[in-house]
Amino acid sequence: MTKEEIAEILAKPYAQQLLNGPEPARMAYNGLDGDPRVIPIGFWTVGEQVVMATVPKSAKVAALRKNPKVALTIDQGTFPPKVLLIRGTAEIELVAGIPDGYLTAGHKVMTDDQYPEWVAGVQGLYDEMVVITITPTWAKLLDFETTIPKAVEDLIKEKSAG
């Protein structure tokens, strides 16, 4: 998939709604033991990249250093479902302090009243963080209005032809 095709998908209104909404991403990666893992994680975006931050000694950091391939799902539990699927490669960077994007991502899931106390707690906890930047190599938006999974599309064609 080309960068232009990925950018076109990520620019669609439903994709933007998911990328800027409160739902966490679900990130799949391979653990150090080779077994798959899926975790919910807050995120923010920089251009077409999906970015998150975490504890430097977390298991996912070590695993992503060994194998940087990931898959992300961001979805809403509404009907019809809205699902953004992304595959890509993770880059790991140790940074001093707390990235502004991490604070912004946290604010998406709490009230304005909760936010100052959360920020104070985060600032007291983290001296450094690891920033994980996912560069998409593939993307698909399923909105079940204009796009559906290919297998469902094929089944509909098969049933309407017969």
Short mmCIF file of all heavy atoms in Angstrom, two decimals, residues 22-28 38-43 50 52 71-75:
data_model
loop_
_atom_site.label_atom_id
_atom_site.label_comp_id
_atom_site.label_asym_id
_atom_site.label_seq_id
_atom_site.Cartn_x
_atom_site.Cartn_y
_atom_site.Cartn_z
N PRO A 22 -12.00 9.44 22.00
CA PRO A 22 -11.51 8.97 23.30
C PRO A 22 -11.15 7.49 23.35
O PRO A 22 -10.57 7.03 24.33
CB PRO A 22 -12.69 9.26 24.23
CG PRO A 22 -13.89 9.13 23.35
CD PRO A 22 -13.45 9.67 22.01
N GLU A 23 -11.49 6.74 22.33
CA GLU A 23 -11.25 5.30 22.37
C GLU A 23 -9.75 5.00 22.34
O GLU A 23 -9.01 5.63 21.59
CB GLU A 23 -11.91 4.58 21.18
CG GLU A 23 -13.42 4.62 21.20
CD GLU A 23 -14.01 5.92 20.67
OE1 GLU A 23 -13.25 6.74 20.09
OE2 GLU A 23 -15.21 6.13 20.84
N PRO A 24 -9.31 4.03 23.13
CA PRO A 24 -7.90 3.64 23.05
C PRO A 24 -7.64 2.84 21.79
O PRO A 24 -8.58 2.29 21.20
CB PRO A 24 -7.71 2.75 24.29
CG PRO A 24 -9.06 2.15 24.52
CD PRO A 24 -10.05 3.23 24.11
N ALA A 25 -6.41 2.79 21.39
CA ALA A 25 -6.01 1.85 20.34
C ALA A 25 -5.82 0.50 21.01
O ALA A 25 -5.53 0.41 22.20
CB ALA A 25 -4.72 2.30 19.68
N ARG A 26 -5.99 -0.54 20.25
CA ARG A 26 -5.61 -1.87 20.70
C ARG A 26 -4.41 -2.25 19.85
O ARG A 26 -4.52 -2.36 18.64
CB ARG A 26 -6.77 -2.85 20.53
CG ARG A 26 -7.86 -2.60 21.56
CD ARG A 26 -9.20 -3.11 21.06
NE ARG A 26 -10.29 -2.88 21.96
CZ ARG A 26 -10.89 -1.71 22.16
NH1 ARG A 26 -10.45 -0.63 21.54
NH2 ARG A 26 -11.91 -1.58 22.97
N MET A 27 -3.27 -2.37 20.52
CA MET A 27 -2.03 -2.62 19.80
C MET A 27 -1.65 -4.09 19.95
O MET A 27 -1.54 -4.60 21.06
CB MET A 27 -0.89 -1.74 20.32
CG MET A 27 0.40 -1.97 19.56
SD MET A 27 1.71 -0.79 19.97
CE MET A 27 2.11 -1.26 21.64
N ALA A 28 -1.44 -4.74 18.82
CA ALA A 28 -0.99 -6.13 18.80
C ALA A 28 0.48 -6.16 18.42
O ALA A 28 0.91 -5.45 17.51
CB ALA A 28 -1.82 -6.93 17.80
N VAL A 38 -2.09 -8.32 22.85
CA VAL A 38 -2.92 -7.19 22.45
C VAL A 38 -3.18 -6.38 23.71
O VAL A 38 -3.60 -6.92 24.73
CB VAL A 38 -4.27 -7.63 21.84
CG1 VAL A 38 -5.13 -6.40 21.51
CG2 VAL A 38 -4.06 -8.46 20.60
N ILE A 39 -2.90 -5.08 23.64
CA ILE A 39 -3.10 -4.22 24.79
C ILE A 39 -3.88 -2.97 24.38
O ILE A 39 -3.71 -2.46 23.27
CB ILE A 39 -1.76 -3.79 25.42
CG1 ILE A 39 -0.89 -3.03 24.39
CG2 ILE A 39 -1.02 -4.99 25.99
CD1 ILE A 39 0.20 -2.21 24.99
N PRO A 40 -4.73 -2.46 25.26
CA PRO A 40 -5.33 -1.15 25.01
C PRO A 40 -4.31 -0.09 25.42
O PRO A 40 -3.58 -0.26 26.41
CB PRO A 40 -6.54 -1.14 25.94
CG PRO A 40 -6.16 -2.05 27.07
CD PRO A 40 -5.24 -3.09 26.48
N ILE A 41 -4.23 0.97 24.63
CA ILE A 41 -3.25 2.02 24.94
C ILE A 41 -3.73 3.35 24.37
O ILE A 41 -4.24 3.43 23.26
CB ILE A 41 -1.85 1.64 24.40
CG1 ILE A 41 -0.78 2.61 24.90
CG2 ILE A 41 -1.85 1.46 22.90
CD1 ILE A 41 0.65 2.11 24.72
N GLY A 42 -3.58 4.40 25.18
CA GLY A 42 -3.90 5.75 24.72
C GLY A 42 -2.89 6.19 23.68
O GLY A 42 -1.76 5.70 23.64
N PHE A 43 -3.29 7.11 22.83
CA PHE A 43 -2.43 7.53 21.72
C PHE A 43 -2.78 8.93 21.29
O PHE A 43 -3.81 9.49 21.65
CB PHE A 43 -2.58 6.56 20.54
CG PHE A 43 -3.94 6.65 19.89
CD1 PHE A 43 -4.15 7.48 18.80
CD2 PHE A 43 -5.01 5.94 20.39
CE1 PHE A 43 -5.41 7.61 18.22
CE2 PHE A 43 -6.27 6.04 19.82
CZ PHE A 43 -6.46 6.87 18.74
N VAL A 50 0.90 7.26 14.38
CA VAL A 50 0.19 7.08 15.64
C VAL A 50 1.26 6.95 16.72
O VAL A 50 2.20 6.16 16.59
CB VAL A 50 -0.70 5.82 15.61
CG1 VAL A 50 -1.42 5.63 16.93
CG2 VAL A 50 -1.71 5.92 14.46
N MET A 52 2.36 6.88 20.99
CA MET A 52 1.97 6.58 22.36
C MET A 52 3.22 6.66 23.23
O MET A 52 4.34 6.69 22.71
CB MET A 52 1.30 5.21 22.45
CG MET A 52 2.06 4.11 21.76
SD MET A 52 1.09 2.78 21.03
CE MET A 52 0.30 3.55 19.66
N ALA A 71 0.16 -4.16 14.84
CA ALA A 71 -1.15 -3.91 14.24
C ALA A 71 -1.96 -3.13 15.27
O ALA A 71 -1.86 -3.39 16.47
CB ALA A 71 -1.85 -5.21 13.87
N LEU A 72 -2.72 -2.15 14.80
CA LEU A 72 -3.58 -1.35 15.67
C LEU A 72 -5.02 -1.48 15.21
O LEU A 72 -5.29 -1.53 14.01
CB LEU A 72 -3.20 0.13 15.60
CG LEU A 72 -1.81 0.55 16.00
CD1 LEU A 72 -1.62 2.04 15.72
CD2 LEU A 72 -1.55 0.25 17.45
N THR A 73 -5.91 -1.49 16.17
CA THR A 73 -7.34 -1.37 15.90
C THR A 73 -7.87 -0.26 16.78
O THR A 73 -7.59 -0.23 17.98
CB THR A 73 -8.10 -2.68 16.23
OG1 THR A 73 -7.60 -3.72 15.41
CG2 THR A 73 -9.59 -2.52 15.99
N ILE A 74 -8.61 0.67 16.18
CA ILE A 74 -9.31 1.71 16.93
C ILE A 74 -10.76 1.60 16.50
O ILE A 74 -11.05 1.66 15.30
CB ILE A 74 -8.75 3.12 16.62
CG1 ILE A 74 -7.23 3.15 16.81
CG2 ILE A 74 -9.45 4.17 17.47
CD1 ILE A 74 -6.55 4.34 16.16
N ASP A 75 -11.64 1.37 17.45
CA ASP A 75 -13.03 1.15 17.07
C ASP A 75 -13.99 1.76 18.08
O ASP A 75 -13.60 2.05 19.21
CB ASP A 75 -13.32 -0.35 16.91
CG ASP A 75 -13.08 -1.13 18.19
OD1 ASP A 75 -12.04 -0.94 18.82
OD2 ASP A 75 -13.96 -1.93 18.56
#
